[in-house]
Amino acid sequence: MLTVMASPYPPADGDRPRIILDCDPGHDDVIAIVVAAEHTDLVGITTVAGNAPLARTTHNACMMRDVLALECGVHAGAERPLVAPPKFAGFVHGESGLDGAELPNPRTGPDSIDAVAFLVESCRRDEGLWLVPTGPLTNIALALRAAPDLAGRIAGISLMGGGTFGNRRPLAEFNIWADPEAAAIVFGCGAPIVMAGLDVTHQFIVTRSRIDEVAAMGTPFTDLIGDLFEFFSGNYIARHDGIEGAALHDPLAVMALTHPALFDGTDRHVAIETTGEHTAGMTVIDRRLISDREAPNAHVLEHVDADAAWRVVGAALRAAGARAVM
Ligand code: RIB
Ligand code: CA
């Protein structure tokens, strides 16, 4: 186990975390980009196959880079998991990864096609970065495998994934299930980990009233987001029992760093099941109330103040709408 640089979680209130966002846009990844642009020093965006094939997730990230006039670059990463066959989520996000709206095209493609090199070089040049993966963990695992010293150089990893229940499988959440071997590498690397799993993300729902709030913001960008929310929430309502809209998963991995006071959580040991016929991709969270439980390797988020979190997202969307270049 690496001797890991002591890194406070959460960052002290008022600190603007320096992050690299690793994502698979994806409707909720788009909102993670908006919140990161507003509340972090966004050093870079790396893309991974997940909700859609890499070409689509990269296209969608480049579109957001250009629409929000981000100064950071987009770096394309892994087009397939470490071991498992590629798995996508077109049944949730559509074949484009962002179905439901008329999207502008990006002005240019990715700034590089080597996300792993970008991750390694950035974390070696600038100690104390947070890595914020909101898709399968393939890029992060490849970077840690290429440069194991990263675990002691980064501030930590704040990820969306896992939970005590699943979505893609009864006990496996999509981001972990899509590349369980990568997740095992990440959870075993020794860096501080913050885990926003389904237990907390399903408390953060894009309800009708929240969609109507966005639609009333009155800018071309927020109109586009409103259309994306209509599609995303419509899909969730059609596919889930008694849900009021889509779970807005990914921005919580960003807000865990930018607005930590909105969350409650517990330090737990989390292991990743990689071989179970029915459980591969499961995050095995040790919640036993006994003294010889496994030493924690993650801060597992358990509750979010959803109304306060929505106020953060709403304000970030308004700000983005005022400056977006459509
Ligand atoms: O299970 C939810 C996660 O899978 C989110 O990150 C969503 O964008 C998809 O990647
Ligand atoms: Ca995602």
Side-chain angles (χ1 to χ4, degrees), residues 22-30 48 50-51 93 133-136 160 173-175 249-250:
D22 184 70
C23 56
D24 61 337
H27 294 70
D28 51 331
D29 302 77
V30 160
V48 66
N51 285 323
H93 297 274
T134 63
M160 191 277 140
E173 176 279 327
F174 177 78
N175 288 341
H249 308 279
D250 292 339

Coordinates of all heavy atoms in Angstrom, one line a residue, residues 22-30 48 50-51 93 133-136 160 173-175 249-250, ligand 2:
D22 N -13.2 13.3 -15.6 CA -13.2 12.2 -16.6 C -14.6 11.7 -16.8 O -15.2 11.3 -15.8 CB -12.3 11.1 -15.9 CG -12.1 9.9 -16.9 OD1 -11.4 10.1 -17.9 OD2 -12.7 8.8 -16.6
C23 N -15.1 11.8 -18.0 CA -16.6 11.6 -18.1 C -17.0 10.9 -19.4 O -16.2 10.7 -20.3 CB -17.2 13.0 -18.0 SG -16.6 14.2 -19.3
D24 N -18.3 10.6 -19.4 CA -18.8 9.9 -20.6 C -20.2 10.5 -21.0 O -21.2 9.9 -20.9 CB -19.0 8.4 -20.3 CG -20.0 8.1 -19.2 OD1 -20.2 9.0 -18.3 OD2 -20.6 7.0 -19.2
P25 N -20.1 11.8 -21.4 CA -21.4 12.6 -21.6 C -22.3 11.9 -22.6 O -21.8 11.6 -23.8 CB -20.9 13.9 -22.1 CG -19.5 14.0 -21.8 CD -18.9 12.6 -21.7
G26 N -23.4 11.8 -22.2 CA -24.2 11.6 -20.9 C -24.8 12.9 -20.4 O -24.1 13.9 -20.2
H27 N -26.2 12.8 -20.2 CA -27.0 13.9 -19.8 C -26.5 14.4 -18.4 O -26.3 15.7 -18.2 CB -28.4 13.5 -19.7 CG -29.1 13.2 -21.0 ND1 -28.7 12.1 -21.7 CD2 -30.0 13.9 -21.8 CE1 -29.4 12.1 -22.9 NE2 -30.2 13.1 -22.9
D28 N -26.2 13.6 -17.5 CA -25.8 14.0 -16.1 C -24.4 14.5 -16.1 O -24.0 15.4 -15.4 CB -26.1 13.0 -15.1 CG -25.6 11.6 -15.4 OD1 -25.5 11.3 -16.5 OD2 -25.3 10.9 -14.4
D29 N -23.5 13.9 -17.0 CA -22.1 14.3 -17.1 C -22.1 15.8 -17.6 O -21.3 16.6 -17.2 CB -21.4 13.5 -18.2 CG -21.4 12.0 -17.8 OD1 -22.4 11.3 -18.0 OD2 -20.3 11.5 -17.4
V30 N -23.0 16.2 -18.5 CA -23.1 17.5 -19.0 C -23.3 18.5 -17.8 O -22.7 19.6 -17.7 CB -24.2 17.7 -20.0 CG1 -24.7 19.1 -20.2 CG2 -23.8 17.1 -21.3
V48 N -14.2 9.0 -21.8 CA -14.1 7.5 -21.8 C -15.4 6.9 -22.4 O -16.4 7.6 -22.4 CB -14.0 7.0 -20.3 CG1 -15.2 7.3 -19.5 CG2 -13.6 5.5 -20.3
G50 N -18.6 4.8 -22.4 CA -19.5 4.4 -21.3 C -20.9 4.5 -21.7 O -21.5 3.7 -22.3
N51 N -21.5 5.7 -21.5 CA -22.9 5.9 -21.9 C -23.1 5.7 -23.4 O -24.1 5.3 -23.9 CB -23.4 7.3 -21.6 CG -23.7 7.5 -20.1 OD1 -24.2 6.6 -19.4 ND2 -23.3 8.6 -19.5
H93 N -29.5 7.0 -22.5 CA -29.0 8.3 -23.0 C -29.2 8.5 -24.5 O -28.9 9.5 -25.0 CB -27.6 8.5 -22.6 CG -27.3 8.6 -21.2 ND1 -27.4 9.7 -20.4 CD2 -26.9 7.6 -20.3 CE1 -27.1 9.4 -19.1 NE2 -26.9 8.1 -19.0
P133 N -13.9 11.2 -11.7 CA -14.5 10.4 -12.8 C -16.0 10.2 -12.6 O -16.5 9.9 -11.5 CB -13.8 9.1 -12.6 CG -13.2 9.1 -11.2 CD -13.2 10.5 -10.8
T134 N -16.7 10.4 -13.7 CA -18.2 10.2 -13.7 C -18.7 9.2 -14.7 O -19.8 9.2 -15.1 CB -18.9 11.6 -13.9 OG1 -18.6 12.0 -15.2 CG2 -18.5 12.6 -12.9
G135 N -17.8 8.4 -15.2 CA -18.0 7.3 -16.1 C -17.3 6.1 -15.6 O -16.7 6.0 -14.5
P136 N -17.2 5.0 -16.5 CA -16.3 3.9 -16.1 C -14.9 4.3 -15.8 O -14.4 5.3 -16.4 CB -16.4 3.0 -17.4 CG -17.7 3.4 -18.0 CD -17.9 4.9 -17.7
M160 N -18.4 9.2 -9.2 CA -19.8 8.7 -9.2 C -19.7 7.3 -9.6 O -19.3 6.9 -10.6 CB -20.6 9.5 -10.2 CG -22.1 9.2 -10.0 SD -22.6 7.7 -10.8 CE -23.7 7.0 -9.6
E173 N -23.9 -1.0 -10.2 CA -24.1 0.3 -10.8 C -23.3 0.4 -12.1 O -22.2 -0.1 -12.2 CB -23.8 1.4 -9.8 CG -23.9 2.8 -10.4 CD -22.7 3.2 -11.2 OE1 -21.6 2.8 -10.9 OE2 -22.9 4.0 -12.2
F174 N -23.8 1.1 -13.1 CA -23.3 1.1 -14.5 C -21.8 1.4 -14.5 O -21.0 0.6 -15.2 CB -24.0 2.0 -15.4 CG -23.4 2.1 -16.8 CD1 -23.6 1.1 -17.7 CD2 -22.6 3.1 -17.2 CE1 -23.1 1.1 -19.0 CE2 -22.0 3.1 -18.4 CZ -22.2 2.1 -19.4
N175 N -21.3 2.5 -13.9 CA -19.9 2.9 -14.1 C -18.9 1.8 -13.5 O -17.9 1.6 -14.1 CB -19.7 4.2 -13.3 CG -20.3 5.4 -14.0 OD1 -20.6 5.3 -15.2 ND2 -20.5 6.5 -13.3
H249 N -27.0 12.1 -11.3 CA -25.9 11.4 -10.6 C -24.6 12.3 -10.6 O -24.1 12.6 -9.5 CB -25.5 10.1 -11.3 CG -26.7 9.2 -11.5 ND1 -27.2 8.3 -10.5 CD2 -27.4 8.9 -12.6 CE1 -28.2 7.6 -11.0 NE2 -28.4 7.9 -12.3
D250 N -24.1 12.6 -11.7 CA -22.7 13.0 -11.9 C -22.3 14.3 -11.2 O -21.2 14.4 -10.6 CB -22.3 13.0 -13.3 CG -22.3 11.6 -13.9 OD1 -22.2 10.6 -13.1 OD2 -22.4 11.5 -15.1
Ligands
CA2 CA -21.5 9.5 -16.5

